[in-house]
Amino acid sequence: MATGYEPNIQGAIAALRDLMIANNVNLAREPYEPNYRGLVDAVIDLKEGFPTFAPAQVTFNAVAFENVNEGDALYMRTSDGKVGKASAADGTIENSFVIGFANISAITGESLQVAVAGLKDISGLDAGDLFFLSATTAGAITATPPSSAGQAVVRIGEAATATKLSIQIEPPVKLS
C-alpha cells in the first residue's frame, strides 16, 4: 500500500538514540545503519537497556535524638526538630505523630534519611493488611490497632507485598 511519503528512518533512529543517551542506555549495536535494520537494532538496544524504575520514595534528612533502627516509625520533636521512635502507648499526641520511617540505623546525634511516602522495605508483612503504630514497642508497626484508653491509633500504611509497605501515614486518634 502506497503511503505517498518516505518514512524518516534516520530521524527515528536519531530520536531513539537521544532517548537512550538521556537514560544511560548502553548503545550496544551502534553505529546504527540508516535503514530498517538500523531501526530494529536501535529498538532492541532500547528494549534491553531501558532502566526499570523503582517506585519513588519521598525522603528528607533529619538528626536522631535517640538511637533508631532502619525501619523504625519516627516522630519529630517540636522543641528541636530532631527525630526518634514514635509511640502509640505513652499518652502524648506528639510522640504518636508518625512522620516517616528510618531508611538507615542511626545513633543519637547522627543524621539519617526519613522516608515519608512511597514503598518501604519491611519484612514479615501480609499483602493487603493495614498497619498501625505499635502500642507495645516504640518505633514498631503492627497489624493490630491499639485499643486501650490513652493509646493512639495511627494508621501508617498498607502492605503492598510481603516485603513492601506502602507508606500512608494518617494523624493519630487518641483513645479515651
Side-chain angles (χ1 to χ4, degrees):
M1 176 177 188
T3 59
Y5 64 90
E6 291 294 317
N8 183 356
I9 292 174
Q10 287 179 297
I13 292 171
L16 287 172
R17 187 176 180 281
D18 289 346
L19 177 65
M20 290 186 286
I21 290 170
N23 286 283
N24 297 316
V25 172
N26 182 19
L27 307 177
R29 291 167 181 78
E30 191 179 43
Y32 303 114
E33 294 295 323
N35 55 30
Y36 283 110
R37 180 70 239 167
L39 181 60
V40 168
D41 285 344
V43 169
I44 291 171
D45 278 352
L46 179 64
K47 178 185 178 279
E48 290 178 352
F50 204 75
T52 56
F53 295 101
Q57 189 182 69
V58 178
T59 63
F60 72 94
N61 292 327
V63 174
F65 68 79
E66 68 178 334
N67 294 351
V68 297
N69 296 314
E70 191 275 329
D72 280 346
L74 304 175
Y75 82 99
M76 182 179 285
R77 287 194 307 209
T78 56
S79 62
D80 60 8
K82 294 182 180 181
V83 298
K85 296 176 186 179
S87 173
D90 74 356
T92 65
I93 287 294
E94 180 183 40
N95 295 10
S96 62
F97 258 102
V98 176
I99 56 153
F101 291 87
N103 263 353
I104 61 169
S105 295
I107 61 171
T108 302
E110 279 188 334
S111 181
L112 70 147
Q113 192 177 65
V114 180
V116 298
L119 294 178
K120 176 72 182 136
D121 290 332
I122 297 178
S123 61
L125 306 176
D126 287 321
D129 283 357
L130 298 178
F131 283 85
F132 302 86
L133 182 62
S134 172
T136 57
T137 305
I141 64 171
T142 179
T144 306
S147 58
S148 299
Q151 296 176 336
V153 177
V154 184
R155 180 178 157 190
I156 50 84
E158 181 176 352
T161 69
T163 59
K164 301 267 188 214
L165 179 75
S166 174
I167 301 171
Q168 304 165 1
I169 302 169
E170 294 182 1
V173 176
K174 189 171 180 181
L175 300 174
S176 54

